[in-house]
Amino acid sequence: MLGIMLLAVRLVHSISGRTRRVDTIIYKVDRLGDWLLAEPSIDRIAAATRARGKTLIVWAGRESAAIRVWRRPVYDVETLVLEPRGFARKMLRAFAIVRLLASYRARSFICLRYSPEPVRDFALARVAAE
């Protein structure tokens, strides 16, 4: 069902011209502590990407928003809820990841989420990256 919805949303985005092209997407949807551990790596990837004149977006969990407010990263961040409770909120999370997958095209996709989970696996299988 989500795969069909993704195709439909991608079609709408491409027809309306709302597809955003970036060179690198970093997928780091995790909690606050995990963001702190990965932040130096994300910063280095971002610096190297910008040094080559390329663009970058980080997909992150809302659970790590406090550190981004405090540290003010110099790259764009799109967020979604990592572990919602209840069926309705889990469906909203699924729609959020479908929206991100439909909205972005990238040359490379870097996944810094190491633990297997259905949302991560869905994103890895369907991301539009070379």
Side-chain angles (χ1 to χ4, degrees):
M1 176 177 119
L2 287 177
I4 293 169
M5 186 173 68
L6 175 60
L7 290 174
V9 174
R10 273 189 180 152
L11 179 64
V12 168
H13 278 251
S14 69
I15 290 171
S16 66
R18 291 188 303 184
T19 301
R20 184 170 172 196
R21 297 191 185 283
V22 294
D23 293 296
T24 304
I25 296 171
I26 298 176
Y27 182 88
K28 184 57 181 160
V29 181
D30 272 313
R31 291 169 206 83
L32 179 61
D34 295 318
W35 179 273
L36 283 170
L37 293 173
E39 190 176 45
S41 298
I42 295 170
D43 289 345
R44 285 185 180 192
I45 294 167
T49 302
R50 282 193 318 272
R52 291 190 311 258
K54 307 222 179 234
T55 56
L56 170 100
I57 187 84
V58 176
W59 294 355
R62 285 197 184 121
E63 291 79 356
S64 62
I67 192 70
R68 290 190 308 278
V69 169
W70 178 43
R71 303 257 188 146
R72 304 272 183 211
V74 293
Y75 41 80
D76 291 334
V77 178
E78 290 267 6
T79 61
L80 60 122
V81 176
L82 172 62
E83 294 176 348
R85 299 197 189 280
F87 179 76
R89 291 181 189 230
K90 288 181 190 238
M91 289 307 296
L92 288 174
R93 177 186 63 175
F95 294 142
I97 196 71
V98 164
R99 181 191 62 80
L100 289 175
L101 288 168
S103 299
Y104 286 93
R105 301 285 180 276
R107 295 197 57 135
S108 59
F109 184 81
I110 301 168
C111 182
L112 297 178
R113 174 111 170 124
Y114 58 88
S115 60
E117 58 151 352
V119 173
R120 183 206 70 163
D121 297 342
F122 181 80
L124 287 174
R126 290 167 179 86
V127 68
E130 294 173 19

